[in-house]
Amino acid sequence: MSTSPTGGATGVGSLPGGDAREAAKTVTGSFEEFPYLAELPARGPGADMIGRSLGLLVDMYAHVEPSGWRISDRPGRDSKRARSWLGEDLDALEEFTQGYEGKLKVQAVGPWTLAASLEMHGGESMLQDPGACRDLAGSLAEGVREHLADVRKRIPGARITLQYDEPSLTSVLLGRVRSASGYRTYRAVDRQVVEGTLRELFAVHDGEVIVHSCAPEVPFALLRRAGVSGVSFDFSLLTEREDDAIGEAVEAGTKLFAGVVPGTDGPLSDPGGSVMGVRKLWRRLGLTPGTLAESVVVTPSCGLAGASPAYARAVQAHCVRAARSLADNPE
């Protein structure tokens, strides 16, 4: 393994297929310096991003309805299945990281996307009940703490990066989350409340905490104030409107997990071409090229669940080469 001072490369979370050992083998083979715990949503409800995180909750349960995940009074088949699959994935990762020392990423859905995706008994989103949102965040914090302890026990040499997936965060802040009927949207949640809840969730882990969103208009400034170590996003969705917020974030030491390689099948450019936009951004912001490799981690634009297995493997290898190109030729 090279020990270049690069931010390096890693994946976002999901992969195609349903074989935990195959996924762990692919991830550890591709990202020797920054593997992650893969998610395999093709296995069905409970292996999806939302179901998996609901399985982490402490003293809170959910089950699948035709409309999506709904709160339950007791643990049922769906939450048990979610826990069992997570255990399988951890067993596989543990097997392929024997003696590993270095960075390792684990993912959980953040409190606001979880609240937007979880239905109350009556079918409306938990988002409309501030008390329920607080309880959910508290339960998630407890569950994530237990999950991290389990990962540390299995892979003692790992320096864990905790990723919260928050694709709905911007919609929550702007009042764009649709109600059950679809005819109206829920009221925007106060920015201070959103920020405070995130700050508490970030405090669960004493290592690097990043937030991932592959939606447009990622709230960089809010995340930086909440104390995030890094932001993971789809680079193709950036507009120059975000320049100032990104520049301030980078100068404050926030890492950018730049999703520069498409997450679904298509032709791949040369690795240098994939990070051209990142170099241009650096020039536009007037940042020192020498800081590029430390500040940027190269990733796919989003999870790879919709990709073919061959493309998913190719993309991960491509991200590593693109990160190397960024380190070798920052200009």
Side-chain angles (χ1 to χ4, degrees):
M1 291 187 194
S2 73
T3 51
S4 54
T6 62
T10 189
V12 171
S14 64
L15 286 177
D19 183 331
R21 288 188 77 252
E22 185 55 39
K25 185 178 167 190
T26 300
V27 164
T28 51
S30 305
F31 298 116
E32 294 180 358
E33 296 181 2
F34 203 165
Y36 62 97
L37 176 62
E39 296 158 4
L40 302 172
R43 292 182 292 198
D48 60 302
M49 182 174 100
I50 299 295
R52 187 183 186 96
S53 294
L54 292 171
L56 292 175
L57 298 178
V58 172
D59 297 331
M60 230 181 187
Y61 314 102
H63 64 278
V64 180
E65 292 274 334
S67 54
W69 285 93
R70 185 171 291 187
I71 203 91
S72 307
D73 298 323
R74 61 186 69 82
R77 192 183 59 210
D78 297 325
S79 36
K80 284 184 183 139
R81 196 188 290 134
R83 282 181 176 271
S84 147
W85 273 326
L86 177 58
E88 223 174 89
D89 295 337
L90 283 165
D91 288 345
L93 187 65
E94 185 179 355
E95 179 188 338
F96 286 97
T97 48
Q98 292 296 312
Y100 174 71
E101 292 188 2
K103 294 195 283 191
L104 169 72
K105 184 165 71 67
V106 299
Q107 305 84 224
V109 175
W112 294 109
T113 296
L114 214 50
S117 311
L118 186 55
E119 297 173 357
M120 308 283 281
H121 290 298
E124 289 298 343
S125 161
M126 190 173 262
L127 205 55
Q128 66 170 23
D129 182 336
C133 286
R134 272 196 301 278
D135 292 346
L136 178 68
S139 171
L140 179 63
E142 205 47 53
V144 168
R145 204 175 274 123
E146 287 177 9
H147 178 45
L148 291 171
D150 185 21
V151 175
R152 277 191 206 101
K153 198 163 71 219
R154 290 165 175 268
I155 310 164
R159 294 196 310 282
I160 300 173
T161 292
L162 169 61
Q163 171 180 311
Y164 285 111
D165 291 306
E166 280 284 16
S168 303
L169 185 59
T170 301
S171 298
V172 167
L173 288 164
L174 298 177
R176 291 179 185 161
V177 178
R178 296 216 155 273
S179 66
S181 66
Y183 292 126
R184 61 185 184 88
T185 53
Y186 297 112
R187 190 183 295 128
V189 180
D190 180 85
R191 296 184 87 83
Q192 238 108 36
V193 173
V194 169
E195 193 182 313
T197 303
L198 288 173
R199 190 176 291 113
E200 284 165 25
L201 263 297
F202 297 167
V204 164
H205 180 45
D206 56 6
E208 192 171 58
V209 180
I210 67 170
V211 166
H212 168 73
S213 168
C214 42
E217 300 172 72
V218 175
F220 286 94
L222 180 142
L223 293 171
R224 185 171 58 85
R225 286 196 305 274
V228 83
S229 325
V231 182
S232 165
F233 57 98
D234 179 343
F235 195 83
S236 70
L237 298 177
L238 280 190
T239 66
E240 294 198 9
R241 283 202 306 273
E242 278 122 331
D243 277 8
D244 289 350
I246 289 180
E248 282 166 22
V250 171
E251 287 180 335
T254 308
K255 272 194 182 151
L256 302 183
F257 284 66
V260 294
V261 190
T264 46
D265 290 49
L268 290 169
S269 73
D270 67 293
S274 293
V275 285
M276 184 103 71
V278 181
R279 292 193 185 97
K280 279 186 184 150
L281 172 71
W282 237 244
R283 281 200 291 276
R284 218 165 59 223
L285 297 176
L287 296 164
T288 329
T291 62
L292 246 178
E294 297 145 42
S295 304
V296 175
V297 178
V298 177
T299 73
S301 58
C302 212
L304 296 170
S308 66
Y311 181 79
R313 281 193 297 274
V315 162
Q316 304 205 75
H318 187 87
C319 285
V320 174
R321 288 196 293 271
R324 198 159 294 141
S325 150
L326 205 54
D328 293 345
N329 315 301
E331 307 280 351

